[in-house]
Amino acid sequence: MVSYKEIGLVHTREMFAKAVAGGYAIPAFNFNNMEQLQAIIQAAAETKSPVILQVSKGARNYANQTLLRYMAEGAVEYAKELGWEHPQIVLHLDHGDSFETCKSCVDMGFSSVMIDASALPYEENIALTKKVVDYAHQFDVTVEAELGVLAGVEDEVSAAESHYTKPEEVIDFASRTGCDSLAISIGTSHGAYKFTPEQCTRDPKTGRLVPPPLAFDVLHEIEKKLPGFPIVLHGSSSVPQEYVDEINALGGKLPDAVGIPEEQLREASKSAVCKINIDSDSRLAMTAAIRRVFHDKPGEFDPRKYLGPARDEMKKLYKHKIVNVLGSDGKAE
Ligand SMILES: [Zn+2]
């Protein structure tokens, strides 16, 4: 049993309270490897932004949960080396699917866990979420729960159809589970193919797909029911079309990949939305940078020569999100 406090991590409670009051959101970036982690920490340190490092089931299968946890411990020390005196770094389990998984993360030093029981019937979602909350709170670990269903596919989370969160359920759910934050469904979606062309309109000038807008009315309804309660948005990559175009021009094949417009996320950040999950965008940044190197220098075979540029591209993306979309820069001086 290791407490996250011993390794310099923080939980989300104060961080979220400040973000809700201050009208900004905390970035939650998924990580699976060293270059991605370096890029996240460099971006957060340079902008002095609180940051949530997320570990998904896919990441645990790919890189090993224990190794990722030690990488996060190293990240705290690395942040200090970069001149960030008091780093505010959360290590968070993304989409925990059972009590056992959440418990194992709490026990090994995660400072926050998500229990995603949103696919279960309402009462079962409450029972499982409460069980995780009761355990995690003994160790001052914060818990994110989910109500409503997001569409899309990411790692091992997938659903064919989305169901918006029902505002009439949120008070009952939050009070009976004791969760610290709530992921809701208002039209975001996992992955790089968030919407089918049929769900979108097309910009006549550029021919690009324009996704349906987020359901801000549902968000505002939820905010009214639970004033100041921390709300989380999953599936909030914007799928930058420059990356999609570059990947496609250099031999890739990502037809009609489309995400959530950044202006809408900026708007959401000003509300009770205090955590925004971004994963696919860094995958696209990494892929575009690696394709660029392979195209320009076909003789290159030193992984540092293509993973290095990939790291730089991801860092640029993370800083852009922090400063221009979430507004969390300077909030962890
Ligand atoms: Zn998610």
Side-chain angles (χ1 to χ4, degrees):
M1 177 92 210
V2 184
S3 167
Y4 65 88
K5 293 173 187 176
E6 290 162 29
I7 51 183
L9 297 165
V10 298
H11 66 199
T12 59
R13 202 167 294 133
E14 289 78 26
M15 194 181 271
F16 284 171
K18 280 167 73 179
V20 173
Y24 61 93
I26 313 291
F29 298 132
N30 290 72
F31 82 107
N32 301 269
N33 60 46
M34 182 188 75
E35 285 77 8
Q36 215 172 9
L37 183 60
Q38 288 174 315
I40 295 169
I41 297 301
Q42 289 173 13
E46 286 176 25
T47 57
K48 298 285 188 293
S49 168
V51 71
I52 297 171
L53 301 174
Q54 298 205 134
V55 172
S56 68
K57 187 173 186 181
R60 289 185 292 120
N61 288 342
Y62 175 75
N64 180 278
Q65 179 171 315
T66 306
L67 187 54
L68 290 169
R69 129 80 173 91
Y70 280 93
M71 286 171 77
E73 181 173 352
V76 175
E77 296 310 313
Y78 178 52
K80 290 179 190 164
E81 270 181 36
L82 293 174
W84 192 9
E85 224 180 309
H86 304 291
Q88 284 185 32
I89 300 173
V90 174
L91 178 61
H92 176 75
L93 169 68
D94 193 18
H95 290 287
D97 57 359
S98 68
F99 173 77
E100 289 70 28
T101 301
C102 293
K103 180 181 182 299
S104 80
C105 287
V106 170
D107 291 352
M108 68 157 47
F110 281 57
S111 57
S112 178
V113 294
M114 176 190 192
I115 174 69
D116 178 2
S118 61
L120 298 179
Y122 182 72
E123 287 297 329
E124 289 175 41
N125 185 353
I126 288 186
L128 180 51
T129 300
K130 183 171 173 6
K131 189 175 176 193
V132 171
V133 168
D134 287 346
Y135 185 77
H137 280 185
Q138 292 177 60
F139 307 98
D140 214 12
V141 168
T142 41
V143 179
E144 176 184 327
E146 179 163 333
L147 197 52
V149 178
L150 263 73
V153 181
E154 190 171 32
D155 285 352
E156 288 167 47
V157 180
S158 75
E161 260 181 76
S162 74
H163 303 282
Y164 286 167
T165 305
K166 295 181 187 139
E168 61 273 21
E169 289 179 347
V170 297
I171 297 177
D172 183 61
F173 186 86
S175 59
R176 285 172 63 199
T177 60
C179 65
D180 299 281
S181 59
L182 186 62
I184 61 166
S185 173
I186 56 165
T188 61
S189 169
H190 289 120
Y193 297 95
K194 299 189 185 302
F195 307 101
T196 62
E198 294 74 46
Q199 291 172 302
C200 301
T201 51
R202 238 176 237 282
D203 184 326
K205 269 195 216 130
T206 59
R208 290 194 193 285
L209 293 176
V210 180
L214 296 182
F216 278 99
D217 52 331
V218 176
L219 171 61
H220 295 320
E221 210 41 49
I222 291 169
E223 278 188 286
K224 251 188 255 164
K225 304 267 185 202
L226 291 174
F229 193 83
I231 300 297
V232 177
L233 291 186
H234 280 243
S236 295
S237 277
S238 294
V239 189
Q241 295 297 302
E242 314 85 80
Y243 289 144
V244 173
D245 289 348
E246 189 173 19
I247 289 167
N248 287 339
L250 297 174
K253 201 171 178 191
L254 298 175
D256 288 335
V258 63
I260 312 295
E262 290 187 334
E263 314 80 73
Q264 293 187 30
L265 297 172
R266 183 75 206 97
E267 191 57 38
S269 302
K270 293 175 184 160
S271 72
V273 169
C274 62
K275 172 177 180 269
I276 293 189
N277 293 3
I278 295 166
D279 188 7
S280 297
D281 286 354
S282 82
R283 298 179 179 195
L284 292 167
M286 188 172 206
T287 302
I290 291 174
R291 281 199 179 271
R292 209 179 293 149
V293 175
F294 286 169
H295 176 266
D296 295 347
K297 298 176 191 162
E300 193 54 75
F301 71 101
D302 178 347
R304 293 170 297 188
K305 297 287 169 54
Y306 52 85
L307 295 177
R311 180 174 62 200
D312 294 344
E313 196 63 54
M314 286 188 283
K315 175 182 167 183
K316 200 170 93 186
L317 172 94
Y318 292 135
K319 286 179 85 168
H320 163 69
K321 296 288 181 184
I322 288 169
V323 174
N324 301 319
V325 184
L326 307 180
S328 60
D329 50 313
K331 308 298 188 202
E333 294 285 357

